[in-house]
């Protein structure tokens, strides 16, 4: 409350709970934030409705590239344990997609560009995945533990299948025989809300309201290499002085 008003009307004016200019401005900001959160909730509701529209058959089916996955080898499929390994393969099988049937990618070797076949492996689940897949005691005997480093430099325990020779890769056309049911009114409303948030840059403000940050700071917490930490111990001028001294002594 402004002190001038208290001096003019006395302390009785405090009982009316009049808001100051700063409080009114803060309430306007809070009200706008609530409106953004309501729009976000509306978007989530519309996306959920779109996911629940279901599928409809695509006539005629179309081919979109190729897919590659593991199958049982011929001698394993003809053996007595074919059912056991088929059930095991369903849990650790992986599928890869490509526009080219040979699944080759371009790489550089000794200055020349060559084409090599893209590598594909069986699933190596981590601890929580291994528990979630529900392997039986007999199936667990075909796995061994191995510590691996991920792309961020962290170590994690992986469970590797010990007999990958039982499975081979096969390539088949990737056929699309169904498509999602679309609702034009639903799509139009989603697009209008998203354009309103994007054009006015309210999407960053909304992300900050939801998560407490706009997301760009997360990249600072990736582990850094030892070389970067070593070179940051000294400034550039110190490194240049040391290089000059080494050249003089040489």
């Amino acid at each position: 409350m402004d002190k001038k008003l208290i001096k003019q009307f006395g302390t009785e004016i405090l009982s009316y709970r009049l808001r100051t200019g700063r409080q009114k401005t803060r309430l306007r900001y809070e009200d706008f934030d609530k409106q953004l959160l309501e729009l976000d909730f509306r978007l989530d509701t519309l996306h959920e409705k779109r996911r629940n529209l279901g599928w409809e058959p695509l006539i005629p089916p179309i081919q979109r590239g190729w897919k590659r996955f593991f199958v049982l080898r011929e001698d394993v499929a003809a053996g007595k344990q074919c059912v056991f390994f088929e059930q095991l393969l369903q849990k650790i099988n992986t599928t890869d997609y490509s526009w080219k049937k040979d699944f080759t990618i371009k790489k550089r070797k000794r200055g020349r560009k060559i084409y090599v076949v893209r590598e594909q492996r069986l699933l190596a689940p981590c601890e929580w995945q291994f528990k979630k897949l529900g392997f039986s005691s007999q199936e667990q005997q075909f796995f061994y533990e191995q510590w691996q480093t991920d792309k961020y430099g962290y170590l994690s325990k992986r469970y590797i299948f010990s007999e990958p020779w039982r499975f081979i890769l096969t390539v088949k056309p990737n056929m699309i025989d169904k498509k999602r049911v679309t609702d034009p009114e639903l799509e139009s409303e989603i697009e209008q809300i998203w354009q309103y948030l994007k054009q006015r840059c309210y999407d960053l403000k909304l992300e900050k309201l939801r998560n407490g940050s706009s997301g760009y700071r997360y990249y600072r917490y990736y582990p850094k290499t030892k070389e970067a930490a070593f070179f940051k111990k000294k400034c550039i001028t110190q490194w240049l002085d040391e290089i000059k001294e080494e050249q003089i002594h040489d």
Side-chain angles (χ1 to χ4, degrees):
M1 180 64 65
D2 193 354
K3 293 181 179 180
K4 294 182 180 180
L5 294 176
I6 297 175
K7 291 180 180 179
Q8 183 178 357
F9 298 102
T11 56
E12 295 179 356
I13 197 173
L14 296 174
S15 62
Y16 293 99
R17 297 183 179 179
L18 299 178
R19 294 186 176 90
T20 62
R22 178 182 290 182
Q23 290 174 335
K24 292 178 181 179
T25 304
R26 187 195 309 147
L27 287 174
R28 286 198 297 269
Y29 279 104
E30 290 178 355
D31 183 63
F32 181 69
D33 292 344
K34 291 178 182 179
Q35 293 178 11
L36 286 181
L37 291 173
E38 288 178 0
L39 276 179
D40 183 51
F41 180 75
R42 178 62 179 167
L43 266 181
D44 291 341
T45 305
L46 294 175
H47 285 305
E48 185 66 24
K49 288 182 179 179
R50 184 169 63 178
R51 284 192 293 268
N52 295 332
L53 288 176
W55 299 81
E56 61 182 1
L58 181 62
I59 301 175
I62 61 174
Q63 179 182 355
R64 182 172 293 177
W66 303 83
K67 62 180 180 180
R68 187 176 63 175
F69 53 93
F70 288 92
V71 295
L72 290 178
R73 215 169 67 172
E74 294 183 0
D75 55 345
V76 179
K80 297 180 180 179
Q81 294 183 321
C82 62
V83 178
F84 170 77
F85 286 108
E86 182 67 32
Q87 295 176 354
L88 179 60
L89 179 61
Q90 292 177 2
K91 299 178 182 179
I92 60 174
N93 202 352
T94 57
T95 305
D96 195 6
Y97 299 91
S98 176
W99 291 105
K100 297 190 295 184
K101 189 175 181 180
D102 53 1
F103 282 78
T104 56
I105 56 176
K106 188 184 295 183
K107 281 191 175 183
R108 188 177 291 274
K109 182 179 180 181
R110 297 177 182 176
R112 296 187 302 106
K113 292 181 180 179
I114 60 173
Y115 288 89
V116 295
V117 180
R118 187 163 58 194
E119 186 180 8
Q120 183 175 350
R121 299 179 180 179
L122 294 167
L123 177 65
C126 56
E127 289 189 81
W128 67 269
Q129 285 179 321
F130 194 75
K131 295 178 181 178
K132 185 178 179 180
L133 290 173
F135 292 100
S136 63
S137 58
Q138 188 177 1
E139 292 173 344
Q140 292 179 7
Q141 295 177 0
F142 288 89
F143 291 88
Y144 64 92
E145 298 179 0
Q146 187 179 24
W147 288 89
Q148 296 181 355
T149 306
D150 59 7
K151 60 181 180 180
Y152 301 119
Y154 294 104
L155 283 174
S156 61
K157 185 189 295 184
R158 296 284 179 173
Y159 292 86
I160 312 298
F161 185 66
S162 58
E163 299 181 1
W165 55 267
R166 295 184 180 274
F167 311 124
I168 57 174
L169 285 170
T170 183
V171 179
K172 287 188 177 181
N174 183 29
M175 301 302 297
I176 308 297
D177 58 354
K178 62 180 180 180
K179 63 177 181 178
R180 285 189 177 274
V181 179
T182 58
D183 186 355
E185 296 181 359
L186 196 64
E187 296 291 340
S188 176
E189 187 175 358
I190 291 174
E191 185 65 22
Q192 288 177 4
I193 296 175
W194 179 246
Q195 288 296 331
Y196 170 76
L197 296 174
K198 192 70 176 176
Q199 290 177 358
R200 293 166 176 78
C201 296
Y202 291 152
D203 52 342
L204 299 177
K205 184 176 181 62
L206 184 59
E207 187 176 353
K208 188 173 182 180
L209 290 174
R210 288 193 306 245
N211 305 324
S213 176
S214 58
Y216 69 93
R217 293 184 178 179
Y218 295 152
Y219 297 99
R220 299 182 181 178
Y221 299 102
Y222 288 162
K224 300 178 181 179
T225 59
K226 295 181 179 179
E227 291 79 4
F230 174 76
F231 284 108
K232 284 187 176 181
K233 291 181 179 179
K234 300 179 183 179
C235 62
I236 298 177
T237 56
Q238 291 176 346
W239 284 111
L240 292 174
D241 292 336
E242 290 183 4
I243 293 172
K244 289 180 180 179
E245 290 179 1
E246 290 178 1
Q247 292 177 353
I248 292 171
H249 291 299
D250 292 337

